[in-house]
Amino acid sequence: MTYKSKFGFGCMRLPQTNPEDPTAIDQELFNEMVDIYMEKGFNYFDTSYAYHNGTSEIAIRKAVVERYPRESFQICDKMPTWALTCEEDNDKFVNEMLERLGIDYFDVFFIHNINSPWLKLAEEHNTIEYVKKMKEDGIAEKIGFSFHEKAALLEEFLKKYGDVFDIAQLELNYLDWEDPSIESKKCYELCVEHGLDVYVMEPLKGGVIVNQTEEVKNDFKEFNPDKSIASFAIRFCASLEHVKMVLSGMSKMEDLIDNCDTYENFEPLSEDEREFLLNEGEKFKKNLAVPCSECGYCLKACPLEIPIPEYFNIYNMQKIQPESNIYRLYYDKLADEKVPAKDCTKCETCIDYCTQQINIPDELENLCEFFKEGFSPYAGDP
C-alpha cells in the first residue's frame, strides 16, 4: 500500500454557503474539490447519516456518484447508533443511506461511534449481527466501527467482536497519542493486536491542531518553514505502519491543495520530527482551555441544546489569542441567539457522549467564570 492511497476525503465538514446552516453545502465548490481530488488519483469518501444534518450523503451523490463511474470511487457510511430504537431501524437507516447516496452497496460500512451508551443500543438492537450480514450479502464490502472512548472499553469490545470486523476507525493525532483521557496509542496497539486495519479520524483534532499559539507557530516555522502544521499532523498518522487511511475534513480549497501536496510528495515522519511534534503537543496543550474537537455528539445528549462546541471554540481561541476580540462572539452572538452556558443544570448526560472525555459541566462553569472575570465590560448572560 502506498502512502498516497491513505488520503481519505472526510465529509463531516464540507464547504458551506452559510456557516450557520450545516445543510447549506457549497455544492459547486465541493464538486471542484472532488474533481481535483479524483484527478490526482485519490478516491475514498467518508460520510455518515448524521453529517450536515443528513445532507452530506446527498452532496456526495451529486459530486461523485452522478459524475463518476461506480468502480472509480469508494464510499464509507455509518449506522447512526444513537438513533436506533428497534431492530428494524437497522434496515430503515441502511436503505435511506443507500437512497441518499444513489448506490446499491457500500465499499465500507461502520457502526458509528462505539462508546458506552451507544454500544448498549447496538447490542440491544442486534446491529453488530446486522452489519456482519451486510458483508455476507454484499451490501458492504468491508465492515468496521468508529471508536471514541478509552482503551478499556475497546479491549472489552474486541474480545467479544474483534473477529467480526475488518477495520477500526480511531481518533488519532499527536496531541492525543499519549493523552490519558484519549489513549490513542493504546487503542492503536489493541487494534493491531487483533489484526484490524486502522483508519484515522480527527488527525487535526477538529482543527484544534492548526489553530496554534504564535509561539508554537514560530516553532514550526523555525523547524521547517516549507511544511504546514497540518502536513506534520497528517504525516504523523500516515507514517504508522498499520494505518491504512487518514481522513481529512476539508472545507476550503486551500486545505485540499495542501493535503494533496503532502501525499503526492510524502515523506515518512523521521524520529526527530516525531519528537518535535510530541514536544510541541505538550506545549500547546498547556495553552488550550478545553480539548474539544467540535464533533457535536454532546449536542445530541444535552436536553437544553446548549451549543457546547461553539462555546468551547470561543473559549479556546480567546485563550490561544488573548489579544484578540473573539470574546465579543461570546457576549454579542451566543448570548442573543443561543442557550446561555450558565443554564447548564449539570445533569452530566453529555459526559458519556463526549469523544474527548471532557467533564463538560465543569468546563462550562469555568468558561463562564473566565469571561465574567476577564472581560467585565462585556459580562452578560452566557
Side-chain angles (χ1 to χ4, degrees):
M1 185 179 217
T2 65
Y3 288 109
K4 188 172 179 179
S5 65
K6 295 186 178 187
F7 178 22
F9 201 131
C11 298
M12 181 180 180
R13 301 179 177 95
L14 296 176
Q16 296 174 215
T17 55
N18 177 2
E20 301 301 318
D21 179 7
T23 67
I25 295 171
D26 188 335
Q27 191 68 50
E28 184 177 349
L29 177 54
F30 181 41
N31 289 3
E32 292 175 12
M33 294 170 73
V34 165
D35 290 343
I36 292 172
Y37 177 78
M38 295 284 282
E39 284 168 12
K40 291 180 176 291
F42 308 111
N43 73 347
Y44 184 87
F45 298 88
D46 173 274
T47 188
S48 161
Y49 183 86
Y51 294 168
H52 286 276
N53 290 356
T55 58
S56 172
E57 294 159 323
I58 295 169
I60 291 173
R61 186 190 74 227
K62 293 177 180 178
V64 183
V65 178
E66 294 176 354
R67 301 169 68 239
Y68 289 91
R70 180 64 182 93
E71 67 276 7
S72 68
F73 58 84
Q74 300 178 70
I75 290 179
C76 171
D77 212 332
K78 308 180 190 76
M79 181 72 79
T81 324
W82 59 88
L84 294 168
T85 61
C86 61
E87 192 167 343
E88 289 71 28
D89 280 348
N90 294 306
D91 221 27
K92 180 186 79 172
F93 288 131
V94 165
N95 288 334
E96 189 172 351
M97 286 184 268
L98 289 169
E99 183 178 355
R100 286 178 180 177
L101 287 163
I103 57 178
D104 54 14
Y105 72 93
F106 303 99
D107 300 275
V108 179
F109 193 83
F110 288 151
I111 298 175
H112 200 165
N113 196 351
I114 292 294
N115 59 23
S116 296
W118 293 345
L119 173 56
K120 292 176 184 176
L121 289 175
E123 290 180 325
E124 180 182 345
H125 302 307
N126 293 320
T127 302
I128 294 165
E129 291 79 6
Y130 179 88
V131 170
K132 181 181 178 182
K133 193 170 187 305
M134 285 177 66
K135 182 178 177 181
E136 293 169 353
D137 293 345
I139 304 300
E141 293 193 345
K142 291 184 179 181
I143 58 173
F145 59 94
S146 61
F147 185 81
H148 281 291
E149 209 167 299
K150 296 175 77 170
L153 180 66
L154 180 59
E155 185 171 19
E156 177 185 329
F157 181 77
L158 291 177
K159 282 179 180 177
K160 292 176 69 175
Y161 305 114
D163 60 343
V164 172
F165 298 105
D166 306 301
I167 302 163
Q169 186 156 292
L170 305 176
E171 176 178 324
L172 197 157
N173 53 69
Y174 68 82
L175 282 183
D176 296 331
W177 187 244
E178 302 277 5
D179 192 315
S181 65
I182 307 295
E183 299 184 325
S184 288
K185 182 180 179 182
K186 287 184 180 179
C187 290
Y188 170 78
E189 290 171 345
L190 278 170
C191 292
V192 171
E193 181 184 325
H194 283 266
L196 296 175
D197 287 343
V198 175
Y199 285 23
V200 172
M201 56 187 164
E202 305 291 3
L204 304 181
K205 201 175 174 71
V208 168
I209 280 177
V210 294
N211 292 321
Q212 303 272 15
T213 63
E214 287 304 313
E215 178 189 4
V216 172
K217 286 180 181 178
N218 288 334
D219 287 347
F220 274 88
K221 287 178 183 177
E222 289 179 15
F223 187 78
N224 190 328
D226 299 323
K227 293 188 183 299
S228 68
I229 293 175
S231 71
F232 275 105
I234 288 167
R235 288 171 57 229
F236 177 88
C237 300
S239 295
L240 293 166
E241 179 183 358
H242 297 279
V243 166
K244 305 301 181 185
M245 186 68 62
V246 181
L247 302 176
S248 292
M250 298 168 287
S251 58
K252 301 190 295 293
M253 183 66 79
E254 306 92 271
D255 299 337
L256 174 68
I257 299 302
D258 184 50
N259 288 336
C260 287
D261 179 69
T262 297
Y263 284 97
E264 288 181 309
N265 303 286
F266 196 89
E267 298 174 12
L269 204 70
S270 69
E271 282 304 313
D272 284 348
E273 288 175 320
R274 183 183 179 83
E275 183 179 353
F276 168 76
L277 287 182
L278 293 175
N279 288 338
E280 290 301 309
E282 290 304 310
K283 183 185 294 186
F284 180 56
K285 279 191 280 189
K286 291 177 182 177
N287 295 304
L288 196 64
V290 187
C292 173
S293 66
E294 299 183 43
C295 66
Y297 293 123
C298 56
L299 297 177
K300 304 180 194 307
C302 178
L304 298 179
E305 298 185 350
I306 295 172
I308 298 164
E310 293 182 59
Y311 281 121
F312 285 165
N313 174 264
I314 294 170
Y315 190 17
N316 279 331
M317 294 306 293
Q318 191 64 56
K319 290 275 282 188
I320 292 168
Q321 302 172 18
E323 73 288 349
S324 72
N325 64 355
I326 294 168
Y327 59 83
R328 291 179 181 272
L329 290 175
Y330 177 84
Y331 299 109
D332 299 341
K333 184 173 185 299
L334 291 180
D336 293 338
E337 301 176 10
K338 304 292 177 74
V339 181
K342 69 177 181 60
D343 283 5
C344 174
T345 62
K346 294 199 170 185
C347 69
E348 300 188 349
T349 307
C350 55
I351 295 177
D352 283 341
Y353 296 85
C354 178
T355 63
Q356 310 301 305
Q357 304 297 295
I358 299 166
N359 188 318
I360 293 172
D362 283 357
E363 293 298 346
L364 285 175
E365 186 174 23
N366 293 338
L367 174 151
C368 290
E369 286 301 311
F370 172 79
F371 283 103
K372 180 179 179 181
E373 294 178 5
F375 307 94
S376 55
Y378 292 91
D381 291 335

